[in-house]
Amino acid sequence: MRRTGVARRAFVLSAAGLLAAMTTAGDAVASPAGGTSPGEGTSPAGGTSPAGGRRGGGRPGAAPGQLRGMWIATVANIDWPSEPGLTAVRQEAELFAYLDRAVELRLNAVMLQVRPTADALWPSPYEPWADCLTGRQGEDPGWDPLGTAVRAAHDRSLELHAWFNPYRVANHTDPTRLVASHPARLNPGWTVPYGGKLYYNPGLPEVRRFVQDAMLDAVRRYDIDAVHWDDYFYPYPVAGQTFDDDAAFERYGGGFADRAAWRRDNIDRLVRETGQRIRRIKPHVRFGISPFAVWRNKETDPLGSDTRAGVQTYDDLHADTRKWVREGWIDYICPQIYWHIGQTAADYAKVLAWWSETVRGTGVDLYVGEALYKAGDPAQAAPWQDPAELSRHLTLARGHEEVGGHVFFSGKSVLADRIGAMRRVVADHYPDRVRLYPDRGRTYPHHGRPSGRGRG
C-alpha cells in the first residue's frame, strides 16, 4: 500500500528496507508541494450493501455491517510469504496465521494482494505466476494460493477482497528480466519505463482491455467478495523524469483540452468499464478502490480538502477519485488517511471530514485506510508513539455516520503490534465479532448505480 506510505524507490530495496522506507514516506507526501516525492503504495459505508457503514459503522458498539479489515501485501514479500521459495505447506501455514490473527482481533475482512506486478497468485491464463511465491516469475508454486485463501477466509467468516494493481509491470525497467512468455515482453509497445519501474501504458485501449481481462479472470474463477485496487494509476511523479506516452497521446488524445485531461479519461474508462464488467460477471462482487487520500488541495480547487499535500491524485496520478464516487462507478472507497490527528499539511480529522462529505448521499461506502505501520516507529512524529492514536481515529470517525469501517496496513504490523496500538483499537472499539455475511448466501442486491449521475 500500501500504500501511501512507501517511497516508490524503496521497491528496489529488500522487503526489510521497503518497510523501513514506508515509515517515513506517508508524511513526506503530505508535505507542502515542492517537498519530498510520494510513496509507493503497495501498500492497497452506506446504501443497501451488507457492509454499509451508514447501517451502523459510525455508532459505538460495532453495529452489524461495520467493515474491519487488514491488507496483506505480497509485492517484494512485504507481508506474505515471509520470503520466496518456501514450501507450499509453509506458505499455507503463514497465510492461515494471518487469517487466524484477523479472527482473534475481531476483524472480518482481508485485502490480499493477488496481482502485485502484472503476475498472479492463481493459475492465470493471462499472466505468469508471481515471483514472490517461488523467487522465479512463472514457476508453479505447487498450489493455488488465491483459491486456498478464499476458502480459508470464508471458513473463518472473513471476507476476501482480491487486491490488484492494474498497470505496474515490474519494479525495474528491464523487460528481459521478465519471464519469456510475459505479455509485456510479447507486446513491448505496451510498456513505459519510468522512475526505475516498468508500467503498462494506460493510454492504449488494448492495454486497458487486457488488464481488465487479467483481473476479471479471478472474479470468474473464485468466490471473492470484492475487487480491490490501491493507489496505482499513472505513477507518482518523479522529479526530472517524463512518462513517455507521446505516441499514444498523438493517436488517441484528440478532442481533449490537454494531456492531463486525456490521461484522466483513460483512468476514468478503466474504472467505469471494470465496474460494469464485474456487475455483468457476478453482480454480488463489490468493487473498491483505496487511493492516496488527497483528491485536491483547497488552494488548488475550492472543492478540495483543507490540506497542503505535495501530491494530489487528480493532478499527479490523473485519478479523479471524487468523480468515481459521485458517479457511483465503485461500491466503496477506502482513502489511505495515513496521517495523525493534527498533522500540519494533512490533518487526519480534516481529511476524514472531507471524505465523509464526498460520499454523503452517493450510496458509495466509505472505509478508512489506517497507518498501523507507523505506530511505535521511532522515525515517526510523537503522536505515533502513543498507543492510543489509532483508537482516537476510530473515536473521531464515530462522529461521521458515513464511515463504515477501517482497514489497517499491513499484515506484519497487525501481527507485531509494536506498541499495542492494534490491541487498543480492539479493546476500545471491537467488543464483539461482527460478521458481514453471516449466512454466506450472497442473495443481497448489488448497488447497480447508474453512471452519469455526476454532482459536480
Side-chain angles (χ1 to χ4, degrees), residues 21-245:
M22 290 173 60
T23 63
T24 57
D27 287 328
V29 281
S31 64
T36 306
S37 63
E40 163 72 21
T42 51
S43 337
T48 57
S49 90
R54 282 182 292 280
R55 297 192 315 146
R59 294 192 292 271
Q66 183 186 63
L67 185 135
R68 308 166 177 177
M70 74 171 175
W71 282 288
I72 301 176
T74 59
V75 66
N77 298 92
I78 291 176
D79 292 322
W80 177 80
S82 60
E83 59 182 293
L86 299 178
T87 65
V89 171
R90 176 81 178 276
Q91 290 179 3
E92 183 181 72
E94 289 186 352
L95 175 64
F96 290 174
Y98 278 111
L99 302 181
D100 289 341
R101 186 58 178 153
V103 171
E104 291 169 1
L105 295 173
R106 302 171 191 148
L107 305 182
N108 52 26
V110 292
M111 285 65 176
L112 176 65
Q113 191 174 35
V114 300
R115 186 179 184 263
T117 50
D119 46 21
L121 270 75
W122 75 95
S124 168
Y126 295 93
E127 295 177 311
W129 283 105
D131 62 3
C132 64
L133 298 170
T134 64
R136 289 177 291 276
Q137 189 176 65
E139 182 173 316
D140 190 333
W143 68 304
D144 180 355
L146 177 53
T148 300
V150 170
R151 291 190 297 273
H154 289 173
D155 285 347
R156 293 162 172 80
S157 293
L158 295 166
E159 279 198 348
L160 194 291
H161 296 214
W163 165 18
F164 305 85
N165 295 87
Y167 289 127
R168 184 173 61 201
V169 174
N171 292 314
H172 57 76
T173 59
D174 183 3
T176 66
R177 291 172 56 185
L178 303 173
V179 66
S181 60
H182 198 292
R185 288 191 68 175
L186 300 177
N187 302 277
W190 285 7
T191 61
V192 178
Y194 179 80
K197 309 289 187 291
L198 195 64
Y199 300 92
Y200 280 129
N201 186 345
L204 299 177
E206 59 269 34
V207 164
R208 187 170 69 247
R209 181 71 185 192
F210 172 78
V211 299
Q212 290 179 41
D213 289 345
M215 292 183 288
L216 294 174
D217 179 66
V219 177
R220 291 187 174 91
R221 288 171 176 250
Y222 302 101
D223 186 24
I224 64 173
D225 296 282
V227 169
H228 181 89
W229 295 352
D230 60 1
D231 51 340
Y232 281 84
F233 302 103
Y234 278 88
Y236 281 91
V238 177
Q241 298 198 28
T242 300
F243 189 85
D244 184 8
D245 56 0

Side-chain angles (χ1 to χ4, degrees), residues 1-3 43-44 66-72 107-112 161 163 228 289-290 332-338 348 366-373 390 393-394 403-411 414 422 425 430:
M1 175 181 250
R2 207 146 219 20
R3 314 246 323 66
S43 337
Q66 183 186 63
L67 185 135
R68 308 166 177 177
M70 74 171 175
W71 282 288
I72 301 176
L107 305 182
N108 52 26
V110 292
M111 285 65 176
L112 176 65
H161 296 214
W163 165 18
H228 181 89
I289 297 179
S290 179
Y332 70 79
I333 191 115
C334 182
Q336 299 168 32
I337 311 182
Y338 284 181
Y348 179 95
L366 173 62
Y367 310 132
V368 181
E370 301 284 354
L372 175 63
Y373 71 91
L390 279 183
H393 292 191
L394 274 69
V403 178
H406 303 259
V407 185
F408 302 90
F409 187 73
S410 67
V414 170
M422 191 70 210
V425 164
Y430 298 163

Side-chain angles (χ1 to χ4, degrees), residues 9 83 93 98 135 137 202 215 270 314 342 433 436:
R9 61 182 178 276
E83 59 182 293
Y98 278 111
Q137 189 176 65
M215 292 183 288
L270 177 74
Y314 180 93
R433 185 106 192 269
L436 294 176

Side-chain angles (χ1 to χ4, degrees), residues 54 268 271-272 279 289 291 295 301 303-304 314 319-333 353-366 402 447-456:
R54 282 182 292 280
D268 283 351
V271 172
R272 183 176 64 249
R279 289 164 188 156
I289 297 179
W295 171 71
D301 188 323
L303 295 175
Y314 180 93
D320 194 349
T321 54
R322 181 180 182 273
K323 180 179 182 178
W324 307 339
V325 170
R326 306 300 285 186
E327 295 289 350
W329 293 342
I330 57 180
D331 296 299
Y332 70 79
I333 191 115
W354 185 89
W355 278 106
S356 295
E357 171 62 27
T358 295
V359 304
R360 189 170 300 145
T362 65
V364 174
D365 299 339
L366 173 62
E402 293 79 17
H447 285 193
R449 293 175 298 278
S451 61
R453 192 191 59 212
R455 307 183 182 190

